[in-house]
Amino acid sequence: AVAVKARSAAVCDAYANQGARSAAILPFTSALSGLCAAATAAIVEIPFLETLAASGTFVGLASQMVVVTIFPFFSSLFASAASVSKARCEVQAEAAAQAAS
């Protein structure tokens, strides 16, 4: 009986450690996603984009499109990483609860 409890405790500890590793990235990905969203709003407001659009060249248009889309792309990438980390934490927590019972 003691061996079974010790094994169960070891399994619970392993799941808890995995969950902690997954949870460690959540604040950073959420903060980076918010930063990218703020950068997107700031870039749209700067006059640099208006001068690119006013040039009327393909290079100006292409560079404007790249500048405007890069930050929303990274924002969605970081937000999806945060969602995956959260889902992994929930799975690890459920596994730890199942191993404890």
Side-chain angles (χ1 to χ4, degrees):
V2 174
V4 172
K5 288 182 181 179
R7 183 174 165 261
S8 177
V11 169
C12 288
D13 190 43
Y15 284 131
N17 288 337
Q18 288 176 357
R21 281 193 301 269
S22 295
I25 198 169
L26 278 171
F28 300 112
T29 53
S30 298
L32 286 172
S33 179
L35 178 68
C36 286
T40 301
I43 283 183
V44 169
E45 295 298 323
I46 61 175
F48 172 71
L49 290 177
E50 292 174 10
T51 58
L52 284 176
S55 68
T57 64
F58 177 74
V59 174
L61 179 63
S63 60
Q64 182 183 16
M65 288 173 21
V66 168
V67 167
V68 170
T69 59
I70 193 88
F71 286 110
F73 170 75
F74 281 125
S75 180
S76 63
L77 185 71
F78 291 135
S80 64
S83 297
V84 168
S85 294
K86 181 180 179 239
R88 288 182 64 195
C89 290
E90 291 170 353
V91 168
Q92 297 300 331
E94 182 62 29
Q98 291 295 325
S101 61

